[in-house]
Amino acid sequence: MISRVKGTQDILPARFTAKPDAQIERWLLVERVAREAFRRYGFEEIRTPIIERTELFERGVGAETDVNKEMYTFEDRDGEMVSLRPESTAPTVRAYSEHGMFNQAGLVKLFYIGPQFRRERPQKGRYRQFWQIGVEVLGQSDEPAIEAEVIEMLYWFLMELGISDTELLINSIGDGACRPAYISALREAIRERLPNLCGSCRQRYETNPLRVLDCKVESCQVHLAELPLISDSLCDACGNHFSEFRRLLDQRGIAYKIEPRLVRGLDYYMRTAFEITGSSLGAQNTLIGGGRYDGLSEILGGQPVKGFGFASGIERLVMSVPESTINLGVNRPELFVACVGADSRDYAFGVARRLRAAGISVIVDLEGRKLKKALAVANSLDAQYSLIIGEDEIKSGSYVLRDMKTGEQTSLRESEIIDTLKYRRL
Ligand SMILES: [Zn+2]
Ligand SMILES: [Zn+2]
């Protein structure tokens, strides 16, 4: 049999997989809570295509970044270069501009939930098709209140999922006024230490020196600690923006840690950068990352637009949701209808249709099994009840409702069945 592509995974009903990040019930929960959080804070959904012109990401993400090198890129039949999206911020900003959303008086608050693609080296918990939930707040304002409100929303979201023990890390990475001078001072300082740094540091020194600060290699740490920090070079505007952001977090009672070496992986970020890490996956792990990207639209050839947003890998969120929050039985059928005798089947279809109209999930035995076998199937589907319909039941208008857990059987009319199942659901 043909198998799935390396680095991808099937998301399945939990009864077919023991892998938590492959269980659809967990995914549905995370998506449902995310949508509810976004609704409460006034975000609207956007769905952009999975393929975009390669140029969008080469300009947006930067040609020399890891993300760009890991893109799935191919030449289309008409010679155009297209890529599977490795992230959704650039596509969202493109759509914002393409559909004239900048004509809106206020902020445009968008969210997305969808797959992204990066051809990463295969490793545990990393997929080449991975899913992200994210938001983008776009418009003419860069008020730090935007940042604070998005983070407040994220805390509601995490709390609702039962993900506790998280930490918020924040930093300001400056802007066009103060960063260039800092970058050249940083580059100078890195150059002096270059022989002692790892290969990836040496490469980043050329392409994106800010990311050298991000290096996790043990032997680099002592040298990285000596490098200048952006926080000492912020201009007044960036400094004020950052302190107002912190004040608004304090006001909400949201704890944070200033992490002066926190940078974002992509070049277009400026000022606010943040991460929320969680400890539930063993080691401290980034669950959510985001930042401000006021210059991105212009890089893409659009109008000047200010933006702030985050992205979060659904796989990691799904793995972090504690067992206690999850109801793996959320999709199990409420009722399995078993028919005794061929004639009762036609009759059962009508009963099933009316029960479904009343809001009950019903599976009818379509395969004409004998009662014992039919009940075994109901068991393997983990149905809560079975309904047994035979000739006698049709005559009397009462059917046998069997609780599949206790084996208890009661004879009930249709309206009583509906009441019983509705009552159970309350
Ligand atoms: Zn290094
Ligand atoms: Zn600045």
Side-chain angles (χ1 to χ4, degrees):
M1 186 60 201
I2 298 164
S3 63
R4 66 182 189 271
V5 170
K6 193 171 177 180
T8 64
Q9 70 167 345
D10 298 313
I11 315 299
L12 307 168
R15 64 200 172 97
F16 297 118
T17 176
K19 273 180 71 209
D21 64 351
Q23 295 174 336
I24 192 71
E25 292 83 353
R26 290 171 182 265
W27 284 67
L28 292 175
L29 173 76
V30 168
E31 290 170 17
R32 182 170 55 74
V33 174
R35 284 175 190 280
E36 182 56 22
F38 301 151
R39 186 187 72 79
R40 291 189 189 192
Y41 283 80
F43 284 82
E44 296 172 283
E45 182 163 6
I46 183 170
R47 297 185 189 187
T48 61
I50 280 168
I51 52 169
E52 296 273 0
R53 294 172 198 271
T54 301
E55 198 188 354
L56 177 72
F57 301 113
E58 276 183 347
R59 283 216 237 166
V61 172
E64 283 303 318
T65 56
D66 296 346
V67 173
N68 198 295
K69 285 179 204 147
E70 291 164 351
M71 275 200 308
Y72 282 93
T73 296
F74 60 96
E75 191 180 331
D76 206 351
R77 290 185 198 177
D78 56 7
E80 183 172 33
M81 295 307 289
V82 292
S83 296
L84 300 184
R85 63 180 183 206
E87 57 96 38
S88 281
T89 298
T92 304
V93 171
R94 173 197 56 68
Y96 173 87
S97 184
E98 202 164 328
H99 301 283
M101 295 184 213
F102 43 76
N103 293 321
Q104 285 287 314
L107 294 167
V108 174
K109 301 165 84 174
L110 300 170
F111 79 87
Y112 59 83
I113 297 178
Q116 322 287 333
F117 303 84
R118 292 182 198 175
R119 204 177 188 293
E120 291 193 274
R121 218 163 13 89
Q123 46 182 314
K124 201 165 172 283
R126 299 275 238 187
Y127 299 98
R128 290 176 174 180
Q129 175 177 327
F130 59 100
W131 287 65
Q132 282 187 338
I133 292 180
V135 308
E136 315 294 351
V137 182
L138 298 160
Q140 292 311 315
S141 172
D142 61 357
E143 281 293 319
I146 298 169
E147 276 96 320
E149 193 182 71
V150 167
I151 288 171
E152 178 189 301
M153 173 176 76
L154 284 170
Y155 270 86
W156 183 86
F157 169 65
L158 293 171
M159 184 194 69
E160 200 65 12
L161 288 176
I163 301 177
S164 52
D165 204 10
T166 56
E167 189 170 35
L168 170 63
L169 308 174
I170 61 170
N171 192 23
S172 175
I173 53 175
D175 64 359
C178 53
R179 194 157 53 186
Y182 167 72
I183 298 282
S184 44
L186 177 66
R187 192 169 251 143
E188 183 64 21
I190 298 171
R191 198 174 51 79
E192 289 165 14
R193 295 166 177 82
L194 217 47
N196 302 315
L197 297 176
C198 73
S200 109
C201 277
R202 266 178 260 165
Q203 199 188 344
R204 284 169 172 180
Y205 161 75
E206 303 283 350
T207 58
N208 186 353
L210 211 49
R211 296 242 20 223
V212 171
L213 299 170
D214 224 11
C215 179
K216 303 283 186 285
V217 174
E218 193 59 46
S219 59
C220 290
Q221 298 311 310
V222 56
H223 307 290
L224 299 185
E226 299 168 349
L227 296 176
L229 296 171
I230 180 84
S231 49
D232 300 324
S233 308
L234 293 181
C235 65
D236 286 351
C238 288
N240 292 338
H241 187 275
F242 194 48
S243 56
E244 176 64 2
F245 170 47
R246 280 154 42 205
R247 188 188 71 78
L248 291 167
L249 290 178
D250 292 338
Q251 191 210 25
R252 287 168 167 78
I254 296 174
Y256 55 85
K257 190 174 135 196
I258 298 172
E259 176 47 80
R261 290 213 264 143
L262 174 71
V263 296
R264 300 299 309 152
L266 304 175
D267 297 348
Y268 52 72
Y269 282 99
M270 57 173 287
R271 290 198 176 156
T272 313
F274 80 96
E275 276 182 17
I276 296 178
T277 59
S279 58
S280 48
L281 302 174
Q284 200 73 8
N285 239 308
T286 304
L287 289 175
I288 296 163
R292 176 162 286 289
Y293 50 85
D294 296 348
L296 175 60
S297 174
E298 283 159 287
I299 294 173
L300 302 179
Q303 316 233 350
V305 174
K306 291 172 172 153
F308 176 77
F310 72 81
S312 180
I314 300 186
E315 289 83 356
R316 281 196 188 176
L317 288 172
V318 159
M319 300 271 283
S320 305
V321 175
E323 236 24 79
S324 56
T325 315
I326 305 217
N327 176 8
L328 286 181
V330 68
N331 285 344
R332 65 199 269 232
E334 291 171 283
L335 192 68
F336 184 90
V337 179
C339 318
V340 183
D343 296 341
S344 58
R345 217 160 66 123
D346 288 356
Y347 187 88
F349 292 144
V351 176
R353 199 164 54 241
R354 290 188 291 278
L355 294 175
R356 285 165 177 153
I360 296 163
S361 73
V362 181
I363 294 182
V364 183
D365 177 27
L366 298 177
E367 293 160 281
R369 292 184 179 81
K370 296 263 188 295
L371 184 59
K372 211 171 152 193
K373 286 223 167 117
L375 291 179
V377 171
N379 249 331
S380 76
L381 288 170
D382 201 17
Q384 297 166 44
Y385 290 96
S386 284
L387 190 67
I388 301 161
I389 301 180
E391 264 174 58
D392 295 346
E393 284 79 10
I394 295 171
K395 268 190 208 134
S396 69
S398 291
Y399 320 108
V400 177
L401 185 72
R402 181 188 173 92
D403 185 319
M404 295 305 286
K405 206 160 244 151
T406 62
E408 192 188 322
Q409 302 199 149
T410 28
S411 183
L412 298 173
R413 309 195 141 268
E414 241 174 73
S415 59
E416 294 169 323
I417 295 166
I418 292 169
D419 288 345
T420 304
L421 270 76
K422 284 226 161 128
Y423 177 75
R424 278 256 326 192
R425 225 188 287 159
L426 293 175

